[in-house]
Amino acid sequence: MSYVDGYQMAVPVANKEKFTTHAAQMDDVFIEFGATRVVECWGDDVPEGEVTDFRRAVKAGPGGNSCSGLG
């Protein structure tokens, strides 16, 4: 049976490189535990919603961004 597992987090824009470096290191771990594909995303074009959105879901403050990963 196939499934998708994911996470969502707030990362300050200034820490984008640290996020991508750490995420790349974790790709091997996820694959070791059975992931067939790992994708990290950077929310650079995600509009704010009227009721809720990804930024509010992770309480990203000013200068923060919403990042996600799927495996």
Side-chain angles (χ1 to χ4, degrees):
M1 178 164 76
S2 298
Y3 68 94
V4 175
D5 193 10
Y7 62 87
Q8 184 78 22
M9 68 176 68
V11 176
V13 174
N15 290 343
K16 181 178 181 178
E17 183 144 344
K18 289 180 182 179
F19 166 75
T20 55
T21 299
H22 178 71
Q25 292 170 345
M26 293 305 298
D27 288 353
D28 293 334
V29 175
F30 292 140
I31 290 170
E32 179 182 336
F33 284 95
T36 57
R37 183 173 174 221
V38 181
V39 178
E40 283 84 35
C41 304
W42 185 258
D44 60 356
D45 189 23
V46 180
E48 291 190 19
E50 291 182 26
V51 177
T52 189
D53 56 34
F54 285 114
R55 290 180 49 76
R56 288 184 221 164
V58 295
K59 297 183 180 175
N65 200 340
S66 173
C67 304
S68 60
L70 300 172

